[in-house]
Amino acid sequence: MMNYTEFEQCGLKRSMEVLSGKWKPLILHHLFHEKEIRFIELWRKMPRVSKKVLLEQLQQMQEHRIVERIERNDFPPQVAYRLHPDTKSLGPALQMLEAWGKSR
C-alpha cells in the first residue's frame, strides 16, 4: 500500500497535476498536430477561451517545460508556441488516453 509521501512523489500523480487544466489537453492536441503555432492562431482554434486564460495556461506549461515560447522581432512582433523536445515523447501516451476516452 502506498503511503502519503510515496503518493506525493508518484510519477502518475505529478504528470496529472502538470497536464491538468481545462484547456491544456486542447492546447496539447493542437501543438502535437502543428509544429509551431502563433498565439492568435491557437486562440482562434479554441472555443470560448479568453486570451488571458489561454496565456495563463501556456505560461504554466512553459514553467513545466511542456511548451516553448518563441518570440519573433518582426513588425508587429509575433509570439508562437511549440512543444518542448522532452514533451514529444508524450505523444503515444496521449494518443492512448484519447482512444480510451473515446471508448467511454
Side-chain angles (χ1 to χ4, degrees):
M1 187 165 190
M2 188 181 294
N3 66 34
Y4 184 75
T5 304
E6 291 169 332
F7 173 71
E8 284 298 309
Q9 296 176 2
C10 174
L12 181 58
K13 178 186 180 291
R14 291 170 135 181
S15 298
M16 297 305 289
E17 286 175 349
V18 168
L19 298 174
S20 68
K22 183 173 182 176
W23 301 105
K24 289 178 186 175
L26 188 54
I27 293 168
L28 282 171
H29 171 80
H30 288 299
L31 291 175
F32 268 104
H33 289 90
E34 301 192 36
K35 184 177 180 179
E36 185 177 301
I37 189 167
R38 289 178 39 222
F39 175 83
I40 197 71
E41 292 170 356
L42 180 59
W43 176 71
R44 287 180 182 145
K45 291 182 178 210
M46 300 187 59
R48 300 182 309 270
V49 63
S50 70
K51 289 179 183 176
K52 177 183 180 279
V53 170
L54 178 58
L55 184 60
E56 287 171 355
Q57 296 275 283
L58 286 164
Q59 287 172 336
Q60 290 172 11
M61 294 171 85
Q62 272 183 270
E63 290 171 10
H64 290 102
R65 295 180 52 182
I66 297 170
V67 300
E68 293 179 328
R69 176 183 162 113
I70 302 123
E71 296 180 30
R72 294 208 170 73
N73 294 327
D74 298 335
F75 186 80
Q78 293 183 4
V79 174
Y81 291 88
R82 66 179 171 216
L83 291 175
H84 187 280
D86 295 343
T87 305
K88 293 178 183 175
S89 64
L90 282 176
L94 293 174
Q95 287 175 335
M96 289 173 60
L97 281 171
E98 182 179 14
W100 181 81
K102 284 181 180 178
S103 71
R104 298 285 162 208

